Amino acid sequence: MVNENFTATEQKIIEAAQLEFSEKGLSGARMQSIADKAGINKALLHYYYRSKDKLFEVVFKMLFRSIIPRVEEILNKEIDLFEKIRIFVETYINLIQSSPQIPMFIMHELSSNPKRLSQMVALAGLNVEKSPLKKQLDELIASGKIRPIEIEQLMINILSLCIFPIVAKPISMTVLYNGDEKAYQQMIEMRKKSVAEFVINAIKNTDYEELT
Amino acid sequence: MVNENFTATEQKIIEAAQLEFSEKGLSGARMQSIADKAGINKALLHYYYRSKDKLFEVVFKMLFRSIIPRVEEILNKEIDLFEKIRIFVETYINLIQSSPQIPMFIMHELSSNPKRLSQMVALAGLNVEKSPLKKQLDELIASGKIRPIEIEQLMINILSLCIFPIVAKPISMTVLYNGDEKAYQQMIEMRKKSVAEFVINAIKNTDYEELT
DNA sequence: ATATACCTTAACCAATTAGTTAAACTGACT
DNA sequence: AGTCAGTTTAACTAATTGGTTAAGGTATAT
């Protein structure tokens, strides 16, 4: 996850910081605690990253930059849309599951400081309107194979279904499963397949076969 | 929103605190800032609520208790499932839209302190498995009108689709709409109808009419 | 060998901030 | 007139915490 001409110590720091920031947020995080987690001392921590804010900036940008390419790669692949949705959902849920605090971290900090994002998006060069995915989607709609839907709505629907249940783990686990961790994990596991089918059914045009 | 044998000052405090906690989280919130927002002074703030933690507890519980009953009410109504989904989605998105920081607030604080929730759920007496909604859903599945789906999965899907786009406003607005606030608002507006149709299409059994 | 980059210890400063206290004011109710 | 809850002002404390500094340790490379 962490790489890119970083020394071992820098890596330890970044990982520790990522964990601490995810758990506590920017204001809740403690430099001492980050140092402890990284197995170093506060002086060294400041030796590498002048201030908490600078460190935060680095961690945040790195995370963001590590996610976007993976998403784009799948979305612009030249495969059948339904297959693409299946692969995306499975890959993405796995990704979030492997570091479940990250979406919360990103969302929370962006929500208290929205400016942070704009530069990064510009930097990442994202543009949904001009993506191959949009073209693919529009063709399928034109041919009547799927119901009309805007690409933005489809994307946000898929992302919602993947991210929310994991970000809101305490809520879903407690409210839906009375705190049963296993039942919750089982649900997430099922979702790696079921979310894609849910989405596909939602957009598939059922009149199509008759029309052909 | 705030009520329940509170004096005017208490109400002002609660409202101010809710706002501050939502924006900044527990650790980021400042008692002085809450006092300012409430138009009172710090001494009086502490006069009413001994400590930041106590105040937080009160605000948090209140919010939680104000949401659950509204959700339950709709879900247990005796109306057609599809109609119920339509009403729920519209009502719920409106609810979140009117105080968009609240879900983030709840999610973030639960995520850094999951224990908080268990008591509250017990207190609210929620039980999805025994809800009228589950009975209704199972009957429709048995009759073949809708595809098999667990009530937990359906619920989390609906909640995801309603909550996430609003909680993740900075992300969706920036990434999907290049920061265009109006386009974003328009999307949310559309979702009040489209999410329900999306869900209904996803679960509706298309073979049903032929079978009848 | 000595310079240089990395690292530790430990003490320290300055700022922020939760929470307290005391003294005084206000207005309603008795 | 007097009591009392609610309120203000302002000064204070005690703790936390971000950040600094100085002195010294260790390795590797030149």
Side-chain angles (χ1 to χ4, degrees), chain A residues 68-80:
Chain A
I68 302 288
R70 270 185 267 198
V71 173
E72 273 200 313
E73 195 211 319
I74 302 177
L75 293 186
N76 295 337
K77 254 185 192 162
E78 293 268 345
I79 52 172
D80 174 65

Side-chain angles (χ1 to χ4, degrees), chain B residues 9 39-41 43-44 47-48:
Chain B
T9 310
I40 59 166
N41 51 2
L44 191 61
Y47 174 82
Y48 276 102

Side-chain angles (χ1 to χ4, degrees), chain A residues 9 39-44 47-48:
Chain A
T9 311
I40 58 165
N41 52 3
K42 213 175 46 155
L44 190 62
Y47 174 80
Y48 276 102

Side-chain angles (χ1 to χ4, degrees), chain A residues 105-170:
Chain A
F105 170 56
I106 294 184
M107 283 161 54
H108 184 248
E109 297 307 333
L110 282 182
S111 152
S112 44
N113 185 355
K115 291 166 217 161
R116 238 186 271 280
L117 189 57
S118 357
Q119 337 150 347
M120 269 175 258
V121 172
L123 205 141
L126 281 179
N127 193 329
V128 193
E129 282 296 326
K130 288 177 189 156
S131 71
L133 178 67
K134 180 175 161 61
K135 215 184 123 205
Q136 182 179 29
L137 184 71
D138 287 345
E139 281 169 12
L140 284 170
I141 293 173
S143 77
K145 274 187 185 159
I146 68 173
R147 297 191 164 85
I149 185 169
E150 285 168 19
I151 181 157
E152 289 88 358
Q153 296 271 2
L154 179 59
M155 281 301 305
I156 197 91
N157 284 352
I158 296 176
L159 290 177
S160 300
L161 293 167
C162 291
I163 300 176
F164 184 81
I166 298 180
V167 169
K169 173 176 174 180

Side-chain angles (χ1 to χ4, degrees), chain B residues 27-197:
Chain B
S27 60
R30 297 288 164 249
M31 292 300 266
Q32 184 60 60
S33 170
I34 293 175
D36 293 346
K37 282 190 170 106
I40 59 166
N41 51 2
K42 213 174 48 156
L44 191 61
L45 178 56
H46 278 94
Y47 174 82
Y48 276 102
Y49 299 94
R50 281 244 178 88
S51 71
K52 196 179 175 180
D53 288 302
K54 287 246 185 276
L55 176 57
F56 184 84
E57 202 79 9
V58 171
V59 171
F60 196 85
K61 279 188 181 157
M62 256 192 40
L63 267 180
F64 208 83
R65 276 206 282 255
S66 77
I67 294 173
I68 302 288
R70 271 184 266 196
V71 173
E72 273 200 312
E73 195 211 319
I74 302 177
L75 294 186
N76 295 338
K77 253 185 191 161
E78 294 267 344
I79 52 171
D80 175 65
L81 180 68
F82 291 171
E83 203 47 41
K84 188 178 284 191
I85 293 176
R86 290 193 186 97
I87 295 175
F88 179 82
V89 166
E90 182 145 15
T91 313
Y92 203 63
I93 294 184
N94 276 329
L95 176 65
I96 305 169
Q97 209 178 17
S98 72
S99 10
Q101 345 79 353
I102 290 176
M104 187 77 245
F105 170 57
I106 294 185
M107 283 162 53
H108 184 246
E109 296 308 333
L110 283 181
S111 153
S112 43
N113 185 354
K115 292 168 217 158
R116 240 186 270 280
L117 188 59
S118 358
Q119 336 150 348
M120 268 176 256
V121 172
L123 206 141
L126 280 180
N127 193 330
V128 192
E129 281 297 326
K130 288 177 188 155
S131 71
L133 177 66
K134 181 176 161 60
K135 213 183 126 208
Q136 182 178 30
L137 183 71
D138 288 344
E139 281 170 9
L140 284 170
I141 292 173
S143 77
K145 275 187 186 160
I146 69 173
R147 297 191 165 85
I149 185 170
E150 284 168 19
I151 182 160
E152 289 89 358
Q153 297 270 4
L154 179 60
M155 280 300 306
I156 197 92
N157 284 351
I158 296 176
L159 290 177
S160 301
L161 293 167
C162 291
I163 300 176
F164 184 82
I166 298 179
V167 169
K169 172 176 175 181
I171 297 182
S172 27
M173 195 171 93
T174 314
V175 177
L176 264 40
Y177 297 101
N178 289 308
D180 182 342
E181 172 94 35
K182 260 189 198 154
Y184 168 80
Q185 289 299 348
Q186 212 173 356
M187 171 199 69
I188 298 295
E189 208 51 44
M190 276 185 56
R191 291 182 73 81
K192 290 176 189 173
K193 303 285 180 196
S194 72
V195 163
E197 300 314 314

